[in-house]
Amino acid sequence: MAANEFSEPHRVVYYEADDTGHLTLAMLINLFVLVSEDQNAALGLTTEFVQSHGVGWVVTQYHLQISTLPKTGDQVQLKTRATSYNKYFAYREYWLLDEAGKQLAYGEGIWVTMSYATRKIATIPAEVMAPYQSTQSVRLPRLPRPDRLTETADLPTKPYTVRYFDIDGNGHVNNAHYFDWMLDVLPADFLRDHQPADVRIRFENEVTYGEPVTSSYEQATDPLTSQHLVQRDDVVAAKATIQWQART
């Protein structure tokens, strides 16, 4: 049985865009999460229902492929499906389409359920997965991992402190904020002239309210890529590889 698909329209608004008027990478993730949350609600899988099983959904990895980021005022279509799962992992797909149905961005995510009692990965409750009609599979698609940094010393770095408004309902940093930290260390002129084309990000360890983190990067020109590392002291919180293209 094919997995349930869910789609909804959306208008890009000014607070979702950067100073070029284009949707930001962090907001793209927020929109993908929004459409999945709206699917959950349509299926009766409310946050309260999931939490009643002692768990919450947490993403461990994303792979994004982007052709064009829409601009303020653009009408777009969001689409998602929880495609497949096994005992511990669930694979979800996302699409961002323009008004005519042309694909602007595609995303894949690997999700787990985290136990609130242990703060560790827990078995996905059968009742939580059943409404999606996802395919149960021993092996899920493997998402490409970020590349390794050639070295971590003397990289351009910025410090941040986790604010109250960075925290989500699971009690740790909302994953979209990692993209803001990672991109904020890049030069503003570079960000105005380029947009992400391919993003591989992996979340390693959670970060909570009040903790200090650092965001570091290194850049290569052929192909035009940047490697990113967010750390809490010496503990890796998240790492990513972003391939860039000229902004259109």
Side-chain angles (χ1 to χ4, degrees), residues 1-5 36 39-40 43-46 49-51 53 55-58 80-93 109-114 122-137 140:
M1 182 180 293
N4 283 326
E5 286 189 353
S36 62
Q39 180 188 35
N40 294 346
L43 294 173
L45 296 170
T46 62
F49 175 78
V50 177
Q51 290 179 345
H53 292 78
V55 299
W57 283 112
V58 177
T80 189
R81 71 175 173 222
T83 308
S84 55
Y85 73 103
N86 58 29
K87 185 176 181 180
Y88 291 109
F89 300 95
Y91 172 72
R92 181 180 278 276
E93 295 176 276
I110 298 295
W111 291 78
V112 300
T113 47
M114 178 189 71
T123 301
I124 300 174
E127 300 87 346
V128 170
M129 285 304 306
Y132 296 117
Q133 299 182 0
S134 303
T135 300
Q136 189 168 5
S137 177
L140 300 185

Side-chain angles (χ1 to χ4, degrees), residues 21-222:
H22 290 86
L23 186 74
T24 68
L25 186 56
M27 284 298 173
L28 175 62
I29 289 296
N30 280 332
L31 292 184
F32 282 165
V33 174
L34 172 65
V35 70
S36 62
E37 288 289 329
D38 287 346
Q39 180 188 35
N40 294 346
L43 294 173
L45 296 170
T46 62
T47 300
E48 293 75 18
F49 175 78
V50 177
Q51 290 179 345
S52 72
H53 292 78
V55 299
W57 283 112
V58 177
V59 68
T60 63
Q61 197 172 353
Y62 280 124
H63 178 218
L64 310 174
Q65 296 169 283
I66 302 165
S67 57
T68 303
L69 288 169
K71 300 187 72 173
T72 301
D74 286 353
Q75 295 286 344
V76 296
Q77 192 79 8
L78 307 171
K79 185 172 78 169
T80 189
R81 71 175 173 222
T83 308
S84 55
Y85 73 103
N86 58 29
K87 185 176 181 180
Y88 291 109
F89 300 95
Y91 172 72
R92 181 180 278 276
E93 295 176 276
Y94 311 85
W95 292 264
L96 177 68
L97 312 171
D98 68 12
E99 265 192 304
K102 179 182 177 182
Q103 181 174 301
L104 303 177
Y106 169 74
E108 307 168 276
I110 298 295
W111 291 78
V112 300
T113 47
M114 178 189 71
S115 165
Y116 288 120
T118 65
R119 308 300 291 183
K120 294 182 180 179
I121 293 175
T123 301
I124 300 174
E127 300 87 346
V128 170
M129 285 304 306
Y132 296 117
Q133 299 182 0
S134 303
T135 300
Q136 189 168 5
S137 177
V138 175
R139 293 189 177 184
L140 300 185
R142 283 184 171 270
L143 274 58
R145 296 188 173 214
D147 296 333
R148 291 181 178 271
L149 287 165
T150 55
E151 58 181 72
T152 57
D154 300 322
L155 294 177
T157 299
K158 278 188 179 182
Y160 300 89
T161 299
V162 178
R163 308 167 303 167
Y164 173 79
F165 295 106
D166 295 326
I167 302 300
D168 63 17
N170 286 325
H172 59 208
V173 172
N174 181 303
N175 290 301
H177 291 296
Y178 287 93
F179 292 98
D180 284 336
W181 290 338
M182 288 176 171
L183 270 59
D184 187 51
V185 295
L186 294 168
D189 287 344
F190 177 84
L191 293 172
R192 291 187 181 106
D193 293 339
H194 298 84
Q195 70 170 30
D198 187 278
V199 180
R200 291 170 276 155
I201 186 167
R202 185 174 176 86
F203 304 98
E204 301 281 354
N205 292 282
E206 64 178 354
V207 179
T208 57
Y209 173 64
E211 292 186 321
V213 296
T214 57
S215 175
S216 307
Y217 81 99
E218 66 177 0
Q219 203 161 17
T221 56
D222 189 20

